[in-house]
Amino acid sequence: MRRAISTIVVASAAALAACTPQPAQYAQKLSMNDPKWESEDCKEIRLASLNYDDKVGQRMAIGVASGLLLGPFGIPLAIAADANQEEQRQAFAREMHLRCSSLPLPESLVEKPVRAEPRRPGADR
C-alpha cells in the first residue's frame, strides 16, 4: 500500500513539473513575426528567460525523496514546494506572452480566480 502511494505521489509531482515549459522554451514557441516581438518589453523578458533557472528537476527529486523520508507529513510539503515553482514558471510565461504576442492567452496561462471565503454574519463588526 505504501509503495502504491509513493508511486502515485512521484508520478503526480512529475506531471506537475511538466505543465509549463521553461521560459526559454516558451519563447521559442512564440511567433517572431508578431509586431510585439521586437518591442523593448519583449526583448527584456526574452533576455530574462535565458537566465531563468528554477532547477525544478533537481528540486523535485530532492523534495519528493526527502518528503518520502519524512513520512506522510513530508509528502504534502514536497509537493507544495513543486507547485509553487510551477506557479512562478506559469506567471513568467504569462508575462512573456503578454509582452511578446498579440494572440490571446492560451487557456493554460489564464489566471485562475481565487475563491473568496464566505462571509460569516456579523464578521464585519
Side-chain angles (χ1 to χ4, degrees), residues 8-48:
I8 291 169
V9 169
V10 170
S12 55
L16 181 65
C19 291
T20 305
Q22 289 289 332
Q25 293 172 334
Y26 188 76
Q28 293 174 350
K29 293 180 178 183
L30 298 173
S31 172
M32 297 167 116
N33 297 326
D34 194 292
K36 287 184 169 183
W37 183 260
E38 290 299 324
S39 71
E40 286 303 314
D41 284 344
C42 181
K43 288 178 185 178
E44 180 182 304
I45 200 162
R46 283 187 286 139
L47 183 60

Side-chain angles (χ1 to χ4, degrees), residues 38-101:
E38 290 299 324
S39 71
E40 286 303 314
D41 284 344
C42 181
K43 288 178 185 178
E44 180 182 304
I45 200 162
R46 283 187 286 139
L47 183 60
S49 76
L50 296 174
N51 298 321
Y52 187 94
D53 184 19
D54 60 5
K55 299 189 187 327
V56 168
Q58 273 184 341
R59 203 176 352 260
M60 184 179 66
I62 292 168
V64 172
S66 62
L68 293 174
L69 291 175
L70 293 173
F73 300 109
I75 294 170
L77 294 174
I79 291 175
D82 293 336
N84 184 39
Q85 289 299 319
E86 169 64 17
E87 287 175 14
Q88 290 176 355
R89 198 171 38 253
Q90 187 178 32
F92 195 99
R94 181 182 310 111
E95 184 64 26
M96 181 181 293
H97 187 91
L98 293 172
R99 290 187 188 190
C100 299
S101 178

